[in-house]
């Protein structure tokens, strides 16, 4: 079981977990490209998630 920002992967939905991971990596100063590669998403998807 992984923990991101004190939230366990079993306690939330996958979409919510992706949001937590995106925000955590973004707050750590990671680039959109890094986050997209980490989650196997497009940079546009990451940008849209951060903009919402």
């Amino acid at each position: 079981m992984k923990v991101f920002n004190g939230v366990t992967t079993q306690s939330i939905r996958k979409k919510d977990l992706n949001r937590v991971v995106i925000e955590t990596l973004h707050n750590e100063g990671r680039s959109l490209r890094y986050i997209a590669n980490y989650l196997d998403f497009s940079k546009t998807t990451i940008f849209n998630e951060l903009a919402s």
Side-chain angles (χ1 to χ4, degrees):
M1 176 178 8
K2 291 185 179 181
V3 177
F4 292 99
N5 284 351
V7 179
T8 65
T9 57
Q10 293 179 341
S11 66
I12 58 176
R13 296 176 303 168
K14 186 172 183 175
K15 181 173 174 39
D16 294 333
L17 177 62
N18 288 339
R19 176 76 180 196
V20 170
V21 172
I22 290 167
E23 289 182 5
T24 300
L25 293 173
H26 183 254
N27 289 337
E28 291 178 354
R30 302 294 184 164
S31 68
L32 293 181
R33 177 177 289 165
Y34 177 91
I35 299 169
N37 288 341
Y38 185 82
L39 293 172
D40 196 28
F41 290 168
S42 71
K43 288 187 291 184
T44 302
T45 299
I46 302 301
F47 178 83
N48 290 338
E49 193 66 32
L50 288 171
S52 63

